[in-house]
Amino acid sequence: MASTQPTAEGLDGSVVAYRERLHAPWWMWLLGTVLMLTLGVAYGFRLGAVAGVITFVVAEAVLAALLLVTAPLVVVDDAVLRAGRARLPLRHVGRVAVFDAARTRDARGTRGDKRAYLCLRGWVPASVLVEVDDPDDPHPYWLVSTRRGRELAPVLAAARDAARDVAG
């Protein structure tokens, strides 16, 4: 769920202007549960019902942990853009563009720059392209999945402008 209300976060007291977790969709959870259930039935058939239930419960817990841990967080605070584990100081954010599914597909494919930083999830078809305005950075731009690009882009642009005003 995305949030655009500024809130304090963390020990450093940074002000968060945008926050979105790119969770897997419901159908992926359902598909994973069906596959883990199938695994539990297979083990249960061979080793008994208790082994099957234990297998299902453990496999489902591992699946849930993987789906939760691998869901990247996209955050704009008063200092950086965070996409997954990567950080981009706002003073180095250039132009920001919202991409629909077709433009995202082109940008991550052969038409994109292989040096770009990608924080993409296949179940989130849209993205924002953030140009990197830092000559020392090897990435010309970031391509970041988002379900709310029309909200993220203006928040990011405003945070960038505010950070440059403070620094300048």
Side-chain angles (χ1 to χ4, degrees):
M1 183 66 86
S3 171
T4 57
Q5 297 296 327
T7 58
E9 177 184 271
L11 298 175
D12 64 354
S14 60
V15 177
V16 174
Y18 181 89
R19 177 188 195 97
E20 178 182 10
R21 173 96 41 198
L22 301 176
H23 287 294
W26 66 268
W27 58 264
M28 189 172 284
W29 286 88
L30 180 62
L31 178 63
T33 298
V34 169
L35 291 173
M36 297 309 111
L37 184 60
T38 303
L39 184 67
V41 168
Y43 274 89
F45 182 76
R46 180 73 177 133
L47 302 174
V50 173
V53 170
I54 291 171
T55 300
F56 168 72
V57 169
V58 170
E60 187 68 18
V62 169
L63 172 69
L66 284 173
L67 288 175
L68 292 173
V69 168
T70 61
L73 187 61
V74 178
V75 176
V76 177
D77 64 26
D78 53 0
V80 297
L81 163 64
R82 292 184 281 167
R85 288 185 260 167
R87 310 285 186 267
L88 179 62
L90 292 176
R91 69 182 179 277
H92 296 304
V93 170
R95 292 182 297 171
V96 179
V98 179
F99 280 13
D100 61 7
R103 289 187 71 193
T104 298
R105 195 172 33 255
D106 288 344
R108 73 172 185 237
T110 57
R111 293 188 179 145
D113 191 324
K114 64 182 176 184
R115 299 172 300 151
Y117 171 74
L118 306 177
C119 181
L120 299 173
R121 292 300 179 262
W123 52 82
V124 182
S127 66
V128 291
L129 184 137
V130 180
E131 289 184 351
V132 177
D133 188 19
D134 180 6
D136 295 329
D137 196 315
H139 308 293
Y141 62 86
W142 285 20
L143 189 62
V144 180
S145 287
T146 179
R147 291 183 175 100
R148 304 178 112 167
R150 301 237 180 268
E151 291 178 34
L152 173 57
V155 168
L156 182 55
R160 172 202 61 208
D161 295 343
R164 286 182 179 172
D165 288 344
V166 169

